[in-house]
Amino acid sequence: MSLEVAIVVEDAVEYSFAMEYHGPPITRELPRAVPINVDRIPVASVVSPLPFPDSLSLPVVQPISAADIIGKKLIKDLKLSSSSAELLTVSPTSVIAFESQNNEVSEGSYSKELGLGTETSVSPSSVINASVESETENRSSNDICALSGELSSDFECCNRDDVLSGVNERGYSSISHDEFVGGVGSSGVLESSDSFEKSMEFSGSLRKSRLSGAYKETLDFNESNRTDWESNESVLSVDYLSSRVSSRKFGDGNQDSGGGDVRRAPVVTFCDIESDDENVDDDYSRSEPEVVRMKKEPAAKVRKGACYRCLKGNRFTEKEVCMVCDAKYCNNCVLRAMGSMPEGRKCVTCIGYPISELKRASLGKCSRMLKRLLNDLEVKQIMKAEKFCEVNQLPPEYISVNGRPLYHDELVMLQSCSNPPKKLKPGNYWYDKVSGLWGKVGQKPLQIITPHLNVGGPVKANASNGNTQVYINGREITKVELRMLKLAGVQCAGNPHFWVNEDGSYQEEGQKNTKGFIWGKAGTKLLCAVLSLPVPSKSSDLCGEQISSSISRSMPDYLEQRVIQKLLLIGYSGSGTSTIFKQARILYKDIPFSEDEREHITLVIQSHVYNYIGILLEGRERFEEESLHELRQHQSCDGPDGTTPAGDVDGNGEETPYSIGPRLKAFSDWLLKIMASGTLEAIFPAACREYAPLVEELCSSVAFKATYKRRHELESLPSISSYFLEQAVEILKPDYKPSDLDILYAEHVTSSNGLACVDFSFPEPVYDGDDSGDLHDSLLRYQLIRLQAKGFGENCKWLEMLEDVRVVIFCVSLSDYDQFALDGDGNRVNKMMLSKKFFENMVTHPTFDQMEFLLLLNKLDSFEEKIEQVPLTKCEWFDDFHPVISRNRSNSNNSNHPTLGQLGFHYVAVKFKRLFAALTGRKLYASAVKALDPTSVDTALKYAREVLSWDEERPNVSLSEYSIYSTEASSFSH
Amino acid sequence: MSVAELKERHMAAAETVNSLKERLKQKRLLLLDTDVARYARSQGQTRVSFGLTDLVCCRTLQGHTGKVYSMDWTPEKNRIVSASQDGRLIVWNALTSQKTHAIKLPCAWVMTCAFSPSGQSVACGGLDSMCSIFNLNSQTDKDGNLPVSRVLSGHKGYVSSCQYVPDEDTHLITASGDQTCVLWDITTGLRTSVFGGEFQSGHTADVLSVSINGSNSRMFISGSCDSTARLWDTRVASRAVRTFHGHEGDVNTVKFFPDGHRFGSGSDDGTCRLFDIRTGHQLQEYNQQHDDNEAPHVTSIAFSTSGRLLFAGYTNGDCYVWDTLLAEVVLNLGKLQNSHDSRISCLGLSADGSALCTGSWDSNLKIWAFGGHRRVH
């Protein structure tokens, strides 16, 4: 037996290594674990083989599975108390055995162990009781339960500072205490006393309090202790706030993982938060903040009523209280002690800790003192921060609806609905989703809130603990409600099951016809008021539409920060990022472009059209000269080819298809002159009205049409221009309003320079069934950020501002492979190579290290056309593109034979993927897209969403599954 | 003249310019017989010494949730505006360390902010290539946000720095990633003049900072990624008055010396330098030798009211206090108690010179001042 004990102790030591700390910086001093003096650890002496019943397998702890934590714990605790009572005969082993037990279960830090040790080993309670009472002013209760919490926290502090001195300073002088201190120091020896059994008892009650939490779920296994716990609820709820969180965890077993409470108390977590499998260790890591939480008692013990900082003043001086630790500060000290109050009224050391639930009611309610000290604006900012900062929010786990603690999103939905529950406090609630009835578990309804919210589980029949056998929407109603129903004239004979809608219309289950409206009569409302039953508020009449709007409603900032996923859209100029950006706006926004923007865009499009016309006119001149030249050559019969410079040809009355009349000629010359001087944009949109008729005439002229036919020979004319030139006359009318399609096609219309962003969420997919996953999706927002390539210099320092981007969407225009542009040094370089270089720059940029990249190969449509005419090998990067194409091209429509365009796309994608892998060793996601096609862009952005969710899930997926997703195409020889 | 010929001539001209520049540099070196530090030492100057409580962190302004990128003091009252990556401008009361305004920006990527001389409005600029002006007295909308009172748009690149022209609430100078600086008329929202850009004498890379001469507000300095600083006269936009070479990296920050005849600059090469605007010479280099070859970049600088001290923030979280005369570090705020945990991104001295405010990527601002008890003689 004793050997086993020793082994267990060793195991525990091995487990108690702390993990590396990654959390936020800690401003106060870290507690130091007291080193164990090996010599002083009492060696287990040989136990007389007497009183151990075989059934008691105490020191060996079986691994505990998550499901039956509660059960086992309770049993163990019970066992523990009983067994240690028995073990009393064999001290000191008994204590060690007990402690090792704790160690085994907790695996927490050393201080934690000590804390538990003290909890269990507080003997003669009366002595300590008295001393503590004399010391602390705000804990007047001499309840055992509170006391043990108190003590453990005290000793927590002691451990941090110096065990002995700390205790001595506080003037503990009883003998039992000295022993006790020794016990803490050497983690062990404790003499048993008469009251030990009692102390065990209340340690049990402590445990119980952890398990049951504030919910007073009847987990009582010891009636006498229960009364203790209840009478002391107020104090405990201060002390054991975070322990309650952990107790919730016990309560829900596996279902509620998520780092909610860990986030809320971002202090020291020694355990791996990521581990999703809920086991005992995990639970204890949850309760780990408790250790630190204890320290959130005011650091200094001060005289009753004095300021905690300057130690002056009495109980009558006005003071401000810290929302977390209850420390009180006087006029002079409050600003120093609370600093700039980024989370409201908290001591500087308490920043980041959740507030005491007792003070939730005073959240955002300013005291007179602050108003006197600070000006209105400052007070307003503090109160705003206090109310809306994340850490002060009601923890969702504290609210249980229909037997299930809420998720974060659910709580948000509950609080942000049009008719939210009033004064929401931690506790168990029931919610009838159909009628919107809302109440505390075991009680009649309190209120009618917005119905159809997808929160919590289904309402249970015994939710309000009714016994009338009359059911509303599956809930057995209470007597009061039944009386109300009867008085409201509802037939309740035969224990009917009613189906009540939010508007108060009710029908019997299984029947179609509405029998009436419960709240229809004026008297009913009065009646409800008398019986203190809720009636629907006026606003709930229009709830139907408000559900949908509640989702798109503006969220509190702390939520927004977390929920928004940022997608960065970049690409070399001309790669179509702006089109994709515009497409996203058109796709996901109700009003894609505001009136102001449209006005601006109109002007831009009009000046573009003038520009296109100018280019055409320039071409016309050239064509005219050429054809005149040809004409002359024809006339002079046989001259040498093309030696005569075109400039020599003077207008000599000869007519070509490209000639225009003198009036148009004047206009054309003027337009070209303006274009050459570069002031086209300054003059034109304004002069639209004046020149519209001229333009109309011009467009209908033969010469213009002839030139337009040869537009492909004009290099500077963008291909998109034909879309606008064909409706040039309409566009240049003064009252022209661009359609979404026009805007989509137009170039350079999105917020001219720099960065543009659009927030959107994907519209909910239309399928029925209350899948909670779909709820989470709809809450996710995305922000598409578009950057212009022009700004990317050699070292773009500001790229580091975009470090919180989740996915970089890199856009490449596929059809660029035969295009050339001038690079920075003025050399003619293939545009695909420029894109490639830009891609390399971005991928290797330190900001985007380890970031997911999604490659969008844009303009697939024009690529497919082009590749039939121009070989892909025109770009030097693609010189090894040798597709295997079946000779029989007539079969190319067959789906078995990919088209040349598809082959080309895959080839380019693989090229980029290999480049990416060579640069980063990671995988590049790639997709083809036609930016002008809405569904194509929608698919691409949804793919980005998949990349994101895949990124989140990847740690959970084993490597073998990973390989399935390999999209590396291997059909090309390299 | 053919294109090839033009190119050739351009090449030749560029070469000439470079050789002339080199000659200029040589000549300067030749003329530079001493620097400030050597002269001061020969005059028997001793370094400034700091007591334990002479400069301590006495306030921490917490409230931003992202990296702080920029801050500015009001000229008269003890108020500070700070800009952070969380997309907010916060106006602080430095005495109480409380926020008075928290302005949510339409574009979260803000790089710079400035207080107007009257303290009535604040300006900010960032990646949206615009400079937005907020009037602090205007009514908030229903969500509690302060509306933009004026947008200065026209830059073709990000706005990296902005400063109000002293004593004028209506004029503002911005520096931008489009290689230009612009003087704005806020009342009309139009550009009064553009410095650089298409003109040859302008910066050839992104301009990162501006500083207006306190004693002659027509002159201002700009620092740029082309590793030069340039002096401009707001009446002559066509060309820079002077170009200051010397730095071997991007000039991240420039600041006029209190007397207006000199200015300091801080750069990616890890040095701060002091230039004289009348001679165009570099007066002193402030460079702390580092053991590892990678010197931390200088992010921001400020002079004390007398000019004797130069405060410089570095990317490694250091904040040196330089004795400008002896070019020695007399204090490192980064090693003091309660110092920042991350890069110091901006710093500034209050108008009366009694306090220094530093902003950092650890999302806090700290105010440093005399921390002891003043003895009254």
Side-chain angles (χ1 to χ4, degrees):
Chain A
M1 199 78 206
S2 58
L3 259 175
E4 278 177 27
V5 170
I7 289 163
V8 171
V9 170
E10 268 175 33
D11 281 352
V13 168
E14 201 182 318
Y15 274 116
S16 62
F17 280 111
M19 306 292 286
E20 198 184 340
Y21 173 63
H22 290 295
I26 299 175
T27 47
R28 70 215 132 63
E29 234 167 56
L30 282 175
R32 293 204 178 189
V34 183
I36 310 171
N37 187 346
V38 179
D39 298 332
R40 285 174 67 199
I41 292 180
V43 181
S45 58
V46 182
V47 183
S48 55
L50 247 175
F52 287 97
D54 284 353
S55 60
L56 181 67
S57 60
L58 167 64
V60 183
V61 175
Q62 303 296 326
I64 299 170
S65 65
D68 51 4
I69 283 169
I70 305 175
K72 276 208 176 161
K73 272 219 100 51
L74 294 187
I75 293 161
K76 202 171 291 158
D77 280 353
L78 285 171
K79 267 188 195 169
L80 223 69
S81 53
S82 63
S83 63
S84 49
E86 283 186 30
L87 282 167
L88 283 178
T89 48
V90 283
S91 73
T93 333
S94 65
V95 178
I96 294 172
F98 187 79
E99 276 205 13
S100 60
Q101 175 85 21
N102 282 332
N103 289 352
E104 259 280 295
V105 181
S106 74
E107 301 185 6
S109 68
Y110 188 60
S111 62
K112 170 81 183 169
E113 287 160 30
L114 285 179
L116 284 175
T118 56
E119 274 170 27
T120 56
S121 51
V122 176
S123 58
S125 57
S126 57
V127 180
I128 303 162
N129 198 349
S131 65
V132 169
E133 207 177 33
S134 66
E135 236 178 43
T136 54
E137 41 100 19
N138 57 342
R139 275 167 222 87
S140 51
S141 96
N142 48 2
D143 188 277
I144 300 168
C145 201
L147 202 134
S148 65
E150 188 79 61
L151 269 178
S152 65
S153 75
D154 277 351
F155 283 110
E156 234 27 272
C157 297
C158 297
N159 288 334
R160 272 152 228 275
D161 309 321
D162 176 352
V163 177
L164 287 168
S165 71
V167 173
N168 285 341
E169 264 170 26
R170 278 158 210 193
Y172 293 102
S173 55
S174 74
I175 298 164
S176 70
H177 241 100
D178 288 343
E179 284 163 2
F180 173 56
V181 169
V184 174
S186 66
S187 79
V189 192
L190 193 80
E191 284 205 350
S192 57
S193 68
D194 289 348
S195 60
F196 194 87
E197 198 170 336
K198 197 181 174 195
S199 76
M200 286 319 300
E201 233 174 70
F202 72 68
S203 82
S205 80
L206 247 177
R207 281 308 184 82
K208 191 192 63 168
S209 73
R210 283 202 188 141
L211 288 168
S212 63
Y215 304 96
K216 288 185 260 169
E217 282 163 351
T218 47
L219 284 171
D220 47 335
F221 45 91
N222 192 332
E223 272 306 322
S224 63
N225 284 332
R226 177 154 177 78
T227 53
D228 289 347
W229 156 238
E230 276 188 345
S231 67
N232 198 41
E233 191 186 19
S234 61
V235 176
L236 266 175
S237 63
V238 178
D239 288 346
Y240 288 101
L241 185 88
S242 50
S243 73
R244 258 193 282 154
V245 177
S246 67
S247 76
R248 272 318 317 163
K249 300 290 177 199
F250 279 119
D252 0 305
N254 277 334
Q255 78 188 123
D256 189 1
S257 53
D261 49 337
V262 180
R263 204 181 301 114
R264 211 152 279 108
V267 199
V268 187
T269 41
F270 292 96
C271 275
D272 192 4
I273 311 166
E274 254 96 75
S275 68
D276 261 9
D277 39 346
E278 194 107 335
N279 53 21
V280 186
D281 317 356
D282 206 3
D283 276 324
Y284 269 86
S285 82
R286 293 279 155 76
S287 67
E288 193 59 50
E290 179 187 359
V291 177
V292 191
R293 179 85 184 84
M294 297 291 194
K295 215 196 157 202
K296 285 295 120 199
E297 297 299 314
K301 300 277 175 237
V302 295
R303 189 165 44 82
K304 210 169 182 174
C307 166
Y308 277 62
R309 189 167 174 276
C310 62
L311 310 179
K312 285 178 198 148
N314 54 45
R315 71 170 73 193
F316 299 112
T317 46
E318 205 175 1
K319 283 183 278 299
E320 192 61 76
V321 188
C322 167
M323 304 286 282
V324 177
C325 74
D326 220 25
K328 299 179 179 68
Y329 300 103
C330 69
N331 229 341
N332 300 324
C333 300
V334 63
L335 287 183
R336 284 308 187 93
M338 295 192 179
S340 53
M341 308 192 209
E343 291 168 0
R345 291 162 286 174
K346 293 180 182 180
C347 320
V348 171
T349 48
C350 292
I351 289 168
Y353 290 92
I355 61 165
S356 151
E357 288 302 318
L358 290 177
K359 300 203 173 71
R360 184 164 298 284
S362 61
L363 209 61
K365 291 187 184 120
C366 181
S367 67
R368 252 181 304 161
M369 188 169 122
L370 274 189
K371 277 188 187 149
R372 211 170 47 237
L373 277 173
L374 304 169
N375 70 32
D376 281 354
L377 285 171
E378 291 168 356
V379 169
K380 219 162 89 190
Q381 291 294 336
I382 293 170
M383 292 305 131
K384 202 171 152 195
E386 191 168 283
K387 260 194 288 189
F388 296 113
C389 83
E390 186 176 2
V391 72
N392 289 358
Q393 299 307 309
L394 190 63
E397 306 91 354
Y398 286 18
I399 295 192
S400 171
V401 173
N402 297 340
R404 182 164 75 69
L406 292 187
Y407 292 111
H408 197 99
D409 302 339
E410 292 176 320
L411 181 64
V412 170
M413 196 186 287
L414 195 62
Q415 287 177 319
S416 63
C417 69
S418 60
N419 195 12
K422 284 172 200 147
K423 290 176 185 163
L424 200 57
K425 283 181 191 143
N428 280 322
Y429 295 92
W430 59 263
Y431 171 48
D432 177 352
K433 285 172 197 172
V434 182
S435 65
L437 284 165
W438 170 270
K440 281 195 169 173
V441 165
Q443 292 175 22
K444 62 180 181 169
L446 286 170
Q447 198 191 340
I448 298 177
I449 64 166
T450 307
H452 309 303
L453 296 176
N454 195 3
V455 294
V459 66
K460 287 173 187 156
N462 59 354
S464 51
N465 218 2
N467 52 2
T468 54
Q469 295 189 314
V470 177
Y471 289 81
I472 285 182
N473 299 342
R475 173 182 60 93
E476 194 169 358
I477 62 173
T478 55
K479 277 184 183 156
V480 184
E481 286 174 275
L482 183 62
R483 199 184 311 159
M484 188 275 288
L485 283 187
K486 279 178 179 161
L487 289 170
V490 179
Q491 288 291 326
C492 299
N495 301 334
H497 290 209
F498 287 115
W499 196 251
V500 178
N501 287 320
E502 68 264 28
D503 56 358
S505 64
Y506 65 97
Q507 42 196 247
E508 259 188 76
E509 223 166 81
Q511 292 181 8
K512 252 192 143 179
N513 51 328
T514 303
K515 295 184 98 180
F517 293 87
I518 293 182
W519 294 286
K521 282 188 264 178
T524 318
K525 290 195 175 173
L526 190 72
L527 187 70
C528 285
V530 172
L531 296 173
S532 63
L533 282 173
V535 289
S537 66
K538 279 173 196 157
S539 66
S540 67
D541 296 342
L542 11 120
C543 49
E545 291 134 40
Q546 288 190 348
I547 295 165
S548 56
S549 70
S550 74
I551 293 170
S552 59
R553 176 193 293 234
S554 68
M555 281 188 280
D557 291 324
Y558 66 91
L559 259 176
E560 208 169 77
Q561 297 276 332
R562 191 173 342 140
V563 170
I564 282 198
Q565 317 256 16
K566 293 180 178 172
L567 315 171
L568 178 64
L569 182 63
I570 48 173
Y572 195 74
S573 56
S575 61
T577 51
S578 78
T579 315
I580 291 176
F581 186 76
K582 281 181 280 185
Q583 192 72 264
R585 283 176 77 158
I586 294 168
L587 270 171
Y588 306 119
K589 300 298 264 192
D590 295 333
I591 307 158
F593 304 98
S594 69
E595 279 306 309
D596 286 356
E597 280 174 302
R598 278 180 190 276
E599 214 162 277
H600 170 73
I601 289 167
T602 309
L603 296 183
V604 173
I605 290 180
Q606 287 178 339
S607 72
H608 280 337
V609 170
Y610 275 108
N611 196 18
Y612 299 147
I613 292 175
I615 294 170
L616 277 181
L617 288 176
E618 210 173 10
R620 185 204 62 80
E621 275 192 357
R622 208 177 81 206
F623 295 150
E624 189 182 26
E625 281 162 9
E626 278 172 11
S627 57
L628 275 178
H629 179 65
E630 267 173 42
L631 222 63
R632 282 247 306 259
Q633 277 187 338
H634 273 286
Q635 284 169 352
S636 61
C637 289
D638 38 13
D641 282 46
T643 46
T644 330
D648 289 357
V649 184
D650 296 326
N652 47 7
E654 287 162 314
E655 281 287 318
T656 72
Y658 304 105
S659 306
I660 47 174
R663 206 163 76 90
L664 287 178
K665 174 83 180 150
F667 173 67
S668 151
D669 289 346
W670 178 72
L671 193 65
L672 290 178
K673 212 173 88 190
I674 291 174
M675 267 180 72
S677 65
T679 51
L680 182 78
E681 266 145 64
I683 293 177
F684 246 102
C688 248
R689 191 183 296 272
E690 199 176 326
Y691 290 100
L694 256 179
V695 170
E696 203 172 338
E697 194 183 326
L698 184 71
C699 289
S700 54
S701 69
V702 184
F704 192 80
K705 281 179 181 157
T707 318
Y708 183 66
K709 268 186 200 142
R710 289 178 64 182
R711 64 182 182 276
H712 298 292
E713 297 169 39
L714 302 168
E715 266 189 16
S716 52
L717 196 68
S719 53
I720 209 71
S721 62
S722 53
Y723 173 84
F724 291 103
L725 282 171
E726 263 155 32
Q727 42 175 333
V729 177
E730 277 81 64
I731 290 173
L732 295 181
K733 278 178 185 156
D735 54 350
Y736 164 69
K737 289 263 178 287
S739 66
D740 282 352
L741 200 62
D742 292 350
I743 295 173
L744 193 65
Y745 275 74
E747 296 172 302
H748 311 297
V749 292
T750 35
S751 76
S752 53
N753 314 302
L755 176 146
C757 59
V758 57
D759 287 11
F760 66 94
S761 55
F762 290 104
E764 281 177 72
V766 192
Y767 55 84
D768 46 6
D770 48 351
D771 181 7
S772 67
D774 132 45
L775 159 87
H776 291 265
D777 273 359
S778 66
L779 270 173
L780 278 183
R781 304 259 188 120
Y782 298 86
Q783 185 173 49
L784 190 67
I785 306 161
R786 177 184 169 255
L787 273 174
Q788 281 211 313
K790 206 169 20 177
F792 298 92
E794 285 291 305
N795 55 348
C796 10
K797 293 182 171 179
W798 46 271
L799 266 186
E800 68 200 11
M801 296 183 95
L802 298 162
E803 65 191 353
D804 55 347
V805 163
R806 296 289 307 275
V807 174
V808 180
I809 302 176
F810 193 92
C811 217
V812 171
S813 165
L814 272 175
S815 57
D816 269 358
Y817 68 94
D818 66 334
Q819 305 276 306
F820 287 86
L822 298 181
D823 71 353
D825 305 328
N827 303 319
R828 235 170 94 90
V829 183
N830 187 301
K831 274 174 96 174
M832 188 57 94
M833 298 310 284
L834 288 174
S835 264
K836 179 192 169 209
K837 196 174 162 216
F838 183 49
F839 180 73
E840 285 169 350
N841 279 345
M842 287 300 111
V843 166
T844 53
H845 196 280
T847 306
F848 299 140
D849 189 33
Q850 299 305 316
M851 209 172 278
E852 294 298 338
F853 271 76
L854 169 63
L855 179 73
L856 288 189
L857 294 172
N858 195 5
K859 305 189 186 173
L860 185 66
D861 35 4
S862 57
F863 176 72
E864 277 171 337
E865 283 170 25
K866 194 183 259 182
I867 199 168
E868 302 286 348
Q869 275 109 44
V870 187
L872 192 60
T873 46
K874 185 134 198 242
C875 173
E876 59 262 40
W877 193 25
F878 303 138
D879 55 2
D880 56 350
F881 178 62
H882 305 298
V884 186
I885 303 164
S886 59
R887 294 280 160 208
N888 194 353
R889 289 308 300 271
S890 62
N891 277 355
S892 64
N893 292 338
N894 193 332
S895 58
N896 290 333
H897 294 278
T899 62
L900 195 59
Q902 281 164 339
L903 286 175
F905 155 67
H906 281 286
Y907 171 82
V908 175
V910 166
K911 274 288 196 186
F912 270 102
K913 283 183 176 193
R914 291 212 173 118
L915 177 67
F916 188 76
L919 289 169
T920 65
R922 288 179 296 127
K923 221 175 78 64
L924 175 72
Y925 300 89
S927 168
V929 67
K930 299 166 194 164
L932 294 174
D933 175 14
T935 52
S936 167
V937 172
D938 188 41
T939 316
L941 289 174
K942 282 188 173 141
Y943 187 44
R945 177 178 68 177
E946 295 307 310
V947 169
L948 267 177
S949 58
W950 168 237
D951 192 32
E952 276 158 15
E953 281 165 21
R954 175 155 38 198
N956 306 335
V957 183
S958 65
L959 274 174
S960 60
E961 273 176 89
Y962 192 108
S963 60
I964 297 173
Y965 287 85
S966 170
T967 49
E968 187 86 14
S970 53
S971 54
F972 301 104
S973 56
H974 189 75
Chain B
M1 211 182 296
S2 73
V3 177
E5 201 178 331
L6 268 175
K7 256 188 184 169
E8 220 164 81
R9 288 177 66 164
H10 176 257
M11 293 273 279
E15 225 157 85
T16 321
V17 167
N18 282 336
S19 70
L20 283 174
K21 269 185 185 164
E22 193 57 34
R23 272 177 61 193
L24 204 64
K25 207 172 149 191
Q26 296 298 329
K27 190 78 181 165
R28 277 186 199 284
L29 274 177
L30 225 87
L31 288 171
L32 201 68
D33 52 347
T34 185
D35 59 15
V36 173
R38 259 180 284 168
Y39 180 73
R41 262 190 218 100
S42 71
Q43 296 292 305
Q45 291 278 354
T46 53
R47 58 181 256 173
V48 180
S49 68
F50 268 93
L52 272 179
T53 59
D54 283 351
L55 198 58
V56 295
C57 173
C58 57
R59 299 273 191 286
T60 301
L61 308 183
Q62 288 176 296
H64 279 300
T65 55
K67 296 169 176 176
V68 177
Y69 267 85
S70 174
M71 57 82 42
D72 192 29
W73 289 82
T74 42
E76 46 22 312
K77 277 190 197 150
N78 286 305
R79 284 192 294 159
I80 293 171
V81 61
S82 62
S84 156
Q85 209 183 6
D86 61 11
R88 261 161 223 284
L89 291 185
I90 294 186
V91 180
W92 306 86
N93 181 341
L95 288 181
T96 61
S97 65
Q98 300 301 323
K99 304 185 267 280
T100 60
H101 296 84
I103 304 167
K104 193 175 177 195
L105 298 173
C107 171
W109 296 272
V110 59
M111 301 174 97
T112 179
C113 60
F115 237 123
S116 75
S118 69
Q120 301 299 308
S121 52
V122 290
C124 71
L127 290 190
D128 58 354
S129 306
M130 295 189 288
C131 186
S132 314
I133 314 282
F134 294 88
N135 187 339
L136 295 181
N137 299 324
S138 50
Q139 285 294 315
T140 54
D141 64 9
K142 61 183 192 308
D143 296 331
N145 296 327
L146 209 62
V148 186
S149 62
R150 171 78 60 198
V151 173
L152 309 177
S153 60
H155 274 301
K156 294 191 178 66
Y158 60 93
V159 175
S160 56
S161 176
C162 65
Q163 194 189 349
Y164 276 91
V165 175
D167 307 322
E168 283 184 70
D169 249 15
T170 53
H171 285 96
L172 179 109
I173 296 181
T174 56
S176 162
D178 62 6
Q179 313 183 356
T180 65
C181 299
V182 169
L183 174 66
W184 299 89
D185 186 334
I186 295 173
T187 36
T188 61
L190 297 175
R191 289 177 280 193
T192 305
S193 22
V194 180
F195 306 92
E198 57 220 85
F199 305 108
Q200 275 306 303
S201 63
H203 283 292
T204 55
D206 303 10
V207 187
L208 295 180
S209 76
V210 287
S211 173
I212 303 171
N213 190 338
S215 48
N216 173 7
S217 58
R218 287 194 302 270
M219 307 300 275
F220 74 96
I221 284 283
S222 61
S224 158
C225 280
D226 61 8
S227 71
T228 66
R230 278 168 215 251
L231 176 69
W232 302 87
D233 188 326
T234 52
R235 295 162 300 184
V236 190
S238 57
R239 59 185 215 87
V241 176
R242 217 182 268 286
T243 304
F244 301 87
H245 297 272
H247 278 296
E248 285 145 18
D250 303 358
V251 179
N252 292 323
T253 171
V254 287
K255 190 76 91 194
F256 255 105
F257 200 74
D259 70 357
H261 295 313
R262 282 153 270 270
F263 73 93
S265 61
S267 158
D268 273 0
D269 62 12
T271 65
C272 302
R273 285 164 205 254
L274 188 65
F275 292 96
D276 193 312
I277 61 166
R278 294 164 299 186
T279 62
H281 278 297
Q282 176 185 316
L283 296 175
Q284 182 63 49
E285 179 181 320
Y286 302 95
N287 189 11
Q288 184 80 328
Q289 290 304 320
H290 280 265
D291 305 331
D292 44 346
N293 41 16
E294 193 74 357
H297 305 168
V298 182
T299 57
S300 183
I301 58 165
F303 286 103
S304 66
T305 323
S306 68
R308 181 69 194 266
L309 300 176
L310 168 67
F311 304 94
Y314 294 81
T315 45
N316 62 352
D318 279 342
C319 179
Y320 290 151
V321 182
W322 289 93
D323 184 328
T324 45
L325 278 187
L326 295 170
E328 287 175 40
V329 177
V330 289
L331 194 67
N332 181 1
L333 299 183
K335 295 283 182 289
L336 293 185
Q337 216 182 358
N338 293 327
S339 66
H340 286 292
D341 303 325
S342 184
R343 159 189 300 207
I344 309 268
S345 51
C346 53
L347 49 80
L349 214 69
S350 67
D352 60 355
S354 62
L356 174 78
C357 178
T358 53
S360 163
W361 278 13
D362 68 4
S363 81
N364 292 334
L365 294 118
K366 286 178 189 286
I367 296 175
W368 308 79
F370 177 75
H373 295 283
R374 276 175 221 280
R375 222 177 290 152
V376 185
H377 291 287

